[in-house]
Amino acid sequence: MHISAVQFAAATDVDTNLEAIVRLVESAADAGAEMVVLPEAAMHDFGGADLALGPVAQSLDEPFVAALRDLAGRFTLWIVAGMFETSHDRDRPYNTLVAVGPDGDLAASYRKAHLYDSFGYKESDRLLAGEPKAVVLRAGGLSFGLMTCYDLRFPELARALVDAGADVIVVPAAWVRGPLKEDHWETLLRARAIENTAYVVAAAQNGSTYCGRSMVVDPMGVAVAALGDQEGIVTAELVADRISQVRTRNPSLGNRRL
């Protein structure tokens, strides 16, 4: 399967972001992508710490997801994207990933389990955490596990995804810039690939707040395709045989003692 990670800086306006998403998904389709991964909060950026996210949240049957479904059907590809989903708490929505199939159906959704209460920020003041669970979907002969940004720092979630059958870990993110933060991002992406002998596909926001550096990492921890800090698309081929070869050479999953 050919997969594209899309990197852009989301605005605090849904229509503006949808215009960018349509343009970038079309470019990814032209590059041969069968799946397009968009960043965390692609629907609407977090904005300043005082911006209420409840009023901008949408349910999974409202216009943002409907637009993704139309776009996926139009280009006959998969789309994974981050959004704010309404919850029972009107002030604090979920930070949700949606996965839409080439038939235009909503195939899966995942509510971010680990909120970014770290580095002087407190995401839980503005959002609700989802229940920790392994969300895996099947596409193009491979299985894809979903996680979001700060989830990357918790290796047990990545391992749960792989134990649930994931060949590929998909990581939409809005990874905040800061001292050593970019190094953490790249190191953790490679670590999750190496320890799980799985592909990792990371699509990040860029701009003044976020670090960008979207990439595709293979099961040996090699970044086979990557971006810097500019808007763009990175496309790579995911090969099932590569996973099998690496897991034969390095059977660490089978060698575990729990």
Side-chain angles (χ1 to χ4, degrees):
M1 169 180 271
H2 288 85
I3 191 166
S4 290
V6 169
Q7 181 165 292
F8 79 106
T12 53
D13 180 80
V14 177
D15 290 338
T16 298
N17 294 330
L18 278 173
E19 289 177 7
I21 288 168
V22 170
R23 170 174 54 82
L24 291 163
V25 168
E26 183 173 9
S27 294
D30 288 344
E34 298 161 83
M35 177 179 285
V36 178
V37 182
L38 297 161
E40 177 186 21
M43 181 191 85
H44 186 290
D45 187 43
F46 289 86
D50 59 346
L51 177 64
L53 297 175
V56 305
Q58 296 186 17
S59 67
L60 301 185
D61 57 2
E62 288 193 274
F64 179 73
V65 175
L68 295 183
R69 292 175 63 181
D70 176 73
L71 194 59
R74 189 191 322 170
F75 292 107
T76 320
L77 46 67
W78 291 84
I79 297 175
V80 178
M83 63 174 289
F84 298 127
E85 178 195 0
T86 52
S87 74
H88 62 274
D89 184 335
R90 60 179 296 178
D91 296 320
R92 292 191 300 160
Y94 294 111
N95 186 342
T96 298
L97 297 182
V98 292
V100 178
D103 56 4
D105 288 343
L106 177 62
S109 64
Y110 164 70
R111 294 169 176 168
K112 185 178 181 182
H114 300 96
L115 297 184
Y116 182 54
D117 289 359
S118 189
F119 291 92
Y121 188 83
K122 197 166 184 183
E123 188 177 358
S124 62
D125 282 346
R126 306 170 71 196
L127 295 164
L128 286 181
E131 290 297 319
K133 62 179 182 178
V135 176
V136 177
L137 63 100
R138 190 78 178 166
L142 294 167
S143 293
F144 295 79
L146 304 182
M147 65 162 56
T148 306
C149 200
Y150 190 55
D151 284 331
L152 184 64
R153 292 186 181 271
F154 300 87
E156 58 270 27
L157 178 58
R159 181 55 54 85
L161 291 169
V162 170
D163 283 347
D167 306 301
V168 184
I169 299 170
V170 177
V171 192
W175 197 268
V176 178
R177 292 175 178 268
L180 297 179
K181 291 290 298 302
E182 289 86 348
D183 185 58
H184 289 188
W185 167 248
E186 295 185 357
T187 299
L188 290 168
L189 290 172
R190 295 182 63 240
R192 297 296 85 87
I194 292 166
E195 69 197 8
N196 292 294
T197 52
Y199 281 102
V200 172
V201 179
Q205 285 206 48
N206 66 319
S208 60
T209 302
Y210 309 111
C211 71
R213 303 199 186 192
S214 301
M215 65 180 71
V216 179
V217 184
D218 89 344
M220 283 294 283
V222 177
V224 295
L227 292 170
D229 63 358
Q230 300 299 308
E231 179 181 291
I233 299 164
V234 60
T235 302
E237 184 179 11
L238 309 183
V239 182
D241 284 350
R242 173 64 172 162
I243 302 168
S244 299
Q245 290 165 2
V246 170
R247 290 181 176 176
T248 298
R249 181 180 178 189
N250 174 26
S252 57
L253 292 176
N255 289 341
R256 286 182 292 170
R257 299 181 67 195
L258 302 178

